[in-house]
Amino acid sequence: MTHQESFSVENFHNRTVKEMLPDEQPREKLMNYGADSLSDAELLAILIRTGTKKLNVIDTAKALLNQFGGLHNLVRKDWKSLQVIPGIAKVKAITLEASFELARRLQVAALGEEIQITSPEDVNAYFAPKLRHLTKETFIVGFLDNAKKLMGFSKISNGGKTATIVDTAEVMRQAVLNEANSIILIHNHPSGHNKASTADIQLTKRIAECGKLFGIPVDDHVIIAGYDFVSLRSEGLF
């Protein structure tokens, strides 16, 4: 089945969860064997809670995964997109999107309250959960104090699938307003391509030159490319 906007229920057989053996039922399986024993579809089924007359809840979850090409792509969808599957009405779709966002925030929460940015790996650990699943390029500037602790960050722009327009003056304005001692630049490549483009390099150099005038250096520009990343500083590109 191709990943498209339509869905055919005929691709999935119908069997109620009650007709399954206890060890096949997601909630019972979790209670007896632990959450890590469940498949992606079974975990989704617990969140969805109920199926329809034509699709039981596990087949509904499998349909979601099939329609969007697996969990990695599913978590990138908003609640409106999820409603293409029968049985995923507004409340269930919103519940799923909220669950996906909570999972992303949990990854960041594990880093603790104070975030110190001293390497590209630190940048990736904090910002990748926020950016890797976005379908449009998003450009962020992070504000660091003199101990390289992250004081905050600002989203400067959202673009398309392959580019975003960044106002250098706005980057520096935010840096000054937030009393940054230095800044880091971060944006994502929705394509997953982990190489800096010529435009990325030129933009970084413009902001770095502007930062010199304000006494606010650019520590790095890190591009998040799915589960990979690239540091322009490490690559010697500015």
Side-chain angles (χ1 to χ4, degrees), residues 20-186:
M20 297 177 178
L21 295 172
D23 281 357
E24 293 181 295
Q25 298 175 21
R27 290 189 185 90
E28 286 69 18
K29 189 174 177 180
L30 187 149
M31 289 187 292
N32 292 331
Y33 304 109
D36 60 351
S37 69
L38 275 64
S39 67
D40 292 345
E42 289 168 331
L43 290 169
L44 282 172
I46 291 176
L47 293 174
I48 297 168
R49 297 183 59 216
T50 59
T52 66
K53 290 182 179 180
K54 292 186 176 182
L55 280 180
N56 68 41
V57 66
I58 295 179
D59 284 338
T60 300
K62 287 179 179 177
L64 271 169
L65 292 168
N66 186 77
Q67 180 74 9
F68 296 112
L71 194 60
H72 172 70
N73 289 320
L74 178 62
V75 298
R76 303 175 73 170
K77 303 300 178 182
D78 62 25
W79 66 271
K80 293 179 182 178
S81 302
L82 300 178
Q83 293 183 90
V84 69
I85 303 298
I88 306 297
K90 184 177 180 180
V91 172
K92 290 181 180 179
I94 289 173
T95 299
L96 287 173
E97 185 176 351
S99 300
F100 301 153
E101 177 59 25
L102 184 60
R104 285 188 282 267
R105 295 189 186 189
L106 282 170
Q107 293 179 59
V108 173
L111 300 176
E113 293 297 321
E114 286 194 346
I115 308 300
Q116 191 169 37
I117 304 292
T118 60
S119 69
E121 288 75 18
D122 293 336
V123 178
N124 183 65
Y126 185 79
F127 287 99
K130 303 175 185 297
L131 294 174
R132 68 163 56 104
H133 294 129
L134 299 183
T135 57
K136 293 183 179 180
E137 279 204 9
T138 297
F139 190 96
I140 288 174
V141 56
F143 313 114
L144 305 179
D145 66 12
N146 57 6
K148 300 304 179 185
K149 290 180 181 178
L150 184 66
M151 299 187 294
F153 62 90
S154 179
K155 185 185 294 184
I156 300 299
S157 66
N158 281 325
K161 292 184 178 181
T162 58
T164 184
I165 298 174
V166 177
D167 184 347
T168 302
E170 179 60 18
V171 171
M172 297 315 304
R173 187 179 79 87
Q174 291 294 332
V176 171
L177 286 175
N178 286 275
E179 300 181 343
N181 284 78
S182 63
I183 59 175
I184 51 170
L185 312 175
I186 314 101

